Amino acid sequence: MSFLDYFRSKKTNTASVAKERLQIIVAHERGQRDMPDYLPQLQKELLDVIRKYVQISDDMVQVDVDRNESCSVLELNVTLPEK
Amino acid sequence: MARIIVVTSGKGGVGKTTTSASISTGLAKRGHKTVVIDFDVGLRNLDLIMNCERRVVYDFVNVIQGEATLNQALIKDKRVDTLFILPASQTREKEALTKDGVEKVINELSETFDYIVCDSPAGIEHGALMALYYADEAIVVTNPEVSSVRDSDRILGILQSKSRRAEMGQDPVKEHLLLTRYNPDRVERGEMLSVTDVEEILAIPLLGVIPESQVVLNASNQGLPVILEDQSDAGQAYDDAVARLLGEEREHRFMTSQKKGFFSRMFKGG
């Protein structure tokens, strides 16, 4: 830092940018890490079953697994198209 | 039964070997019989950092394959009586480290040593997995920098799923965060992630903070584990980390910048 810089306004705090980016990516990667291996297949088959009755696209079904200490919860979100 | 400690990080160049050398030297200096194993097959470097590169005759892979006994391969440290080094092979394939082979060597070492420190190679491939598989504890070496923190989190996931303790459903591997190359001045200027930032993201207990220091390079140039530079900040920070590893309570040091006066800042350019 040169003498003049010392009096200039503060530059952006890059450390806080780094922290924010890391928190997002780490949370995302942890989420994927805990997923059981069968999840993609399960999602595909569920989609097939639902399609027998309702026309939906791939991104309208969301499958997540939430793990607590005592149990795991399989969360299934299906968005049905408007009639 | 020995305590098996892996020094790991995912990312390369963050200070795993420097840390392995210092932590093992520190443990041995306190009278614990300690062996440090280099798992980096093909890229052996622990021997250089510990100044025994010209005394290597047999290596880890020789022992696994029955070409040498452990006693033939172990190198006794010249500075600390209770410290031994098991060097990696420089010429073999990484796959020469098999789970069974590593287990056999670790079991045999376990009979006579108090601590087995495993210096992991970078990455998450075979060598790194072998280094962490049998661990009871893990020292995750991290730099306050985005790629290192992300890789550390990745390696934590692997410790929690692929270690023997995880596979056997035993108590999990005890995790320790060691933050290295820490520069408090840059943290204060908002240019570097702080200790609390990294602790918050990784959410594991802090073992120590090693300040960025010229002493580290000077020590490795000479093959001296930096913990033996006991007048230096980095050496003392490693000594604190060893003490904490052994259950001592020690306050963290070297985490705030040494304030410079106005004049020195002007003339040295801050």
Side-chain angles (χ1 to χ4, degrees):
Chain A
M1 200 191 274
S2 81
F3 180 70
L4 279 174
D5 284 345
Y6 191 67
F7 293 100
R8 280 190 197 129
S9 62
K10 264 207 156 178
K11 281 191 209 145
T12 44
N13 184 324
T14 57
S16 59
V17 178
K19 185 182 181 185
E20 209 171 295
R21 291 174 62 218
L22 273 168
Q23 278 172 325
I24 293 166
I25 190 67
V26 163
H28 177 73
E29 286 176 347
R30 276 186 197 156
Q32 294 197 322
R33 183 197 296 166
D34 296 336
M35 294 290 175
D37 301 338
Y38 58 75
L39 217 63
Q41 185 64 23
L42 177 72
Q43 179 155 2
K44 191 182 161 295
E45 286 180 25
L46 282 171
L47 206 65
D48 291 342
V49 172
I50 296 166
R51 276 208 186 119
K52 279 191 193 169
Y53 306 94
V54 196
Q55 260 320 307
I56 54 167
S57 61
D58 285 12
D59 56 354
M60 291 163 93
V61 173
Q62 259 224 319
V63 184
D64 286 305
V65 178
D66 247 337
R67 282 190 189 164
N68 297 320
E69 280 190 16
S70 52
C71 66
S72 300
V73 177
L74 179 72
E75 192 183 308
L76 182 65
N77 270 307
V78 185
T79 318
L80 293 177
E82 282 180 48
K83 280 261 163 95
Chain B
M1 272 300 274
R3 256 166 92 181
I4 304 167
I5 303 171
V6 62
V7 178
T8 185
S9 70
K11 191 176 185 299
V14 296
K16 281 183 297 297
T17 301
T18 302
T19 297
S20 299
S22 278
I23 296 284
S24 57
T25 302
L27 288 167
K29 246 180 56 179
R30 285 156 194 263
H32 302 288
K33 201 171 172 204
T34 305
V35 57
V36 54
I37 309 178
D38 190 348
F39 274 78
D40 205 345
V41 173
L43 293 169
R44 160 164 97 206
N45 272 319
L46 182 69
D47 54 340
L48 261 184
I49 299 298
M50 303 201 57
N51 201 20
C52 62
E53 70 274 14
R54 286 182 304 178
R55 293 163 64 206
V56 176
V57 184
Y58 293 110
D59 58 55
F60 193 12
V61 173
N62 289 140
V63 179
I64 287 178
Q65 302 193 334
E67 296 155 354
T69 66
L70 251 181
N71 279 333
Q72 287 176 305
L74 284 175
I75 302 171
K76 192 175 190 307
D77 189 76
K78 289 213 164 153
R79 292 165 291 235
V80 188
D81 243 11
T82 47
L83 180 60
F84 290 79
I85 298 120
L86 183 56
S89 171
Q90 192 64 311
T91 52
R92 303 298 183 96
E93 297 286 314
K94 284 193 193 306
E95 284 65 32
L97 296 181
T98 59
K99 251 185 204 173
D100 292 347
V102 174
E103 183 176 24
K104 196 188 77 183
V105 173
I106 284 187
N107 283 346
E108 199 178 333
L109 289 169
S110 239
E111 288 168 17
T112 46
F113 284 91
D114 303 321
Y115 286 91
I116 302 174
V117 177
C118 302
D119 182 18
S120 171
I124 50 171
E125 305 298 317
H126 185 74
L129 294 180
M130 285 301 108
L132 66 78
Y133 189 71
Y134 295 99
D136 300 312
E137 299 184 38
I139 297 176
V140 180
V141 183
T142 308
N143 290 170
E145 173 268 325
V146 284
S147 49
S148 175
V149 175
R150 182 198 206 172
D151 291 359
S152 290
D153 192 66
R154 185 95 170 83
I155 214 78
L156 287 169
I158 291 170
L159 282 162
Q160 289 155 15
S161 62
K162 301 226 166 109
S163 61
R164 179 174 61 172
R165 283 178 170 271
E167 283 184 359
M168 300 282 190
Q170 295 167 336
D171 290 340
V173 177
K174 194 172 172 198
E175 298 154 347
H176 306 276
L177 171 64
L178 188 76
L179 205 55
T180 56
R181 302 194 151 188
Y182 194 69
N183 186 329
D185 289 319
R186 301 199 73 181
V187 172
E188 271 179 29
R189 293 203 296 265
E191 296 172 1
M192 186 182 264
L193 291 163
S194 70
V195 185
T196 10
D197 290 341
V198 181
E199 278 184 284
E200 224 172 279
I201 295 162
L202 294 178
I204 60 171
L206 182 67
L207 179 70
V209 178
I210 313 298
E212 183 164 55
S213 162
Q214 306 186 346
V215 181
V216 177
L217 179 60
N218 276 323
S220 79
N221 284 342
Q222 308 166 68
L224 184 74
V226 69
I227 196 170
L228 294 175
E229 295 279 17
D230 51 13
Q231 299 303 309
S232 70
D233 48 1
Q236 291 173 6
Y238 269 117
D239 191 65
D240 287 352
V242 171
R244 292 187 199 105
L245 200 57
L246 294 168
E248 246 179 78
E249 296 255 346
R250 287 220 184 163
E251 217 171 302
H252 289 280
R253 297 189 272 174
F254 317 113
M255 278 167 35
T256 48
S257 73
Q258 309 300 317
K259 284 267 181 276
K260 281 182 199 157
F262 179 68
F263 280 100
S264 70
R265 204 161 12 195
M266 269 182 71
F267 292 116
K268 288 183 76 184

